[in-house]
Amino acid sequence: MPHTILLAEPRGFCAGVVRAIDVLDQVLDRDEGPVYVFHEIVHNRYVVDGFRQRGAVFVDYVHEVPAGGRIVFSAHGVSPAVVQEAKDRNLRIIDATCPLVTKVHLETRKAAKDGYDILLVGHEGHDEVEGTKGEAPALTRVVDSAADVQALGTPDRPIFVVTQTTLSVDDTAETIGAIQARFPDAEIRNDICYATTNRQSAVKELAERADLVIVVGSANSSNSVRLCEVAKTMGTPAYRVDGIQEIDPAWYEGVGIVGLTAGASVPDELLEPIIEDLRARGVTTVEPVIVARETVEFRLPAELEVR
Ligand code: SF4
């Protein structure tokens, strides 16, 4: 049975998620009346359920918000068309988009203005990709793999490459390599963020040493799903769970070392019961595996900083 837990560091909340949660927290605390949130504020079921219980109303469409109401945009960002629709409904907008996602929007907008076709490396349908693509929908193609790159036609204009922030570092390097091979003059921006990169580096260390890796994070959390994939790619059995309730104790049979980490939208409190349960099963050592120390912090939107 398990005797050691390797605890990834960094793991869990990134600066963009902390900021988005703080934004919604403050809006719910300070103001009367309903608060509408466009899409999940961050991709974590526990966090979203907590806000729902406090009265936040999550919507998929701007037209679900009554005219004149308040709308919070999630950490993943929204397209200019969504912003315009909110303005047309005279909504009060509070933007919790991660500044690192905003940076990708600005790169995309500028590249389109400068005459480029855009290749957006990312997962079609993900909230962040939908928002970024919306900066230049007619000029942007989403590519998810080297095979997608091979299937592209010949572009009329020079190519500018941006990426989703939460991709697999290794898979993205492969896709970008394929783009460079086909379009040697392409301008490349790799926008995978520091938090995604650090968490993937940490899970690699875990997977090298552990017999089993558990990743806490929701199924729609891109970076959590990637962490699990990275561990599996290294040949270590790995499972993604929303919390302890999804762990099958049979996974621990024959396992001495358990690696434990969490996606960027996961509160650390979800790991505590897993650690306690493993201690009850005989774990005597909890060893941090530190690959980076993160000091990034983002300021709140100006309208929330001073009142
Ligand atoms: Fe921002 Fe990266 Fe966190 Fe996404 S994962 S919210 S891009 S810091």
Side-chain angles (χ1 to χ4, degrees), residues 13-17 42 75-76 98-101 128 165-166 191-196 223 264 296 298:
F13 279 0
C14 61
V17 164
V42 300
H76 310 101
C98 175
L100 299 183
V101 173
E128 182 187 323
T165 56
T166 51
D191 300 292
I192 297 176
C193 76
Y194 78 95
T196 299
N223 78 85
V296 179
F298 296 129

Side-chain angles (χ1 to χ4, degrees), residues 227-302:
L227 289 176
C228 193
E229 283 174 4
V230 168
K232 281 183 183 163
T233 303
M234 294 187 66
T236 307
Y239 297 94
R240 182 206 51 74
V241 295
D242 254 305
I244 190 170
Q245 69 282 1
E246 292 181 356
I247 290 180
D248 179 351
W251 299 343
Y252 295 139
E253 280 168 24
V255 163
I257 302 177
V258 178
L260 185 59
T261 188
S265 48
V266 178
D268 224 36
E269 65 211 63
L270 294 184
L271 275 64
E272 285 160 16
I274 298 173
I275 294 170
E276 284 318 305
D277 176 63
L278 279 165
R279 282 191 198 278
R281 292 175 190 277
V283 161
T284 51
T285 305
V286 179
E287 179 189 332
V289 174
I290 304 167
V291 301
R293 297 203 188 270
E294 293 180 344
T295 54
V296 179
E297 284 180 19
F298 296 129
R299 296 177 64 170
L300 290 177

Side-chain angles (χ1 to χ4, degrees), residues 70-114:
R70 281 170 306 161
I71 190 165
V72 177
F73 293 145
S74 80
H76 310 101
V78 297
S79 69
V82 169
V83 176
Q84 190 55 51
E85 199 185 346
K87 286 180 177 168
D88 291 346
R89 290 184 71 75
N90 200 25
L91 304 184
R92 179 183 155 201
I93 296 171
I94 303 123
D95 189 1
T97 304
C98 175
L100 299 183
V101 173
T102 301
K103 175 177 144 283
V104 187
H105 280 237
L106 295 176
E107 286 169 349
T108 305
R109 193 183 308 166
K110 181 170 186 313
K113 193 164 154 259
D114 290 347

Side-chain angles (χ1 to χ4, degrees), residues 155-234:
D156 298 329
R157 310 180 345 147
I159 286 186
F160 194 95
V161 179
V162 293
T163 77
Q164 188 179 337
T165 56
T166 51
L167 299 177
S168 153
V169 171
D170 294 338
D171 292 352
T172 304
E174 195 178 308
T175 307
I176 287 180
I179 293 171
Q180 284 171 317
R182 259 208 82 184
F183 310 111
D185 296 331
E187 283 272 340
I188 312 273
R189 300 284 181 277
N190 188 331
D191 300 292
I192 297 176
C193 76
Y194 78 95
T196 299
T197 306
N198 289 343
R199 281 152 190 69
Q200 285 178 26
S201 299
V203 86
K204 281 183 184 171
E205 297 265 330
L206 296 190
E208 254 176 34
R209 293 179 51 198
D211 305 307
L212 165 75
V213 170
I214 293 178
V215 177
V216 183
S218 290
N220 62 346
S221 160
S222 174
N223 78 85
S224 302
V225 173
R226 299 290 87 75
L227 289 176
C228 193
E229 283 174 4
V230 168
K232 281 183 183 163
T233 303
M234 294 187 66

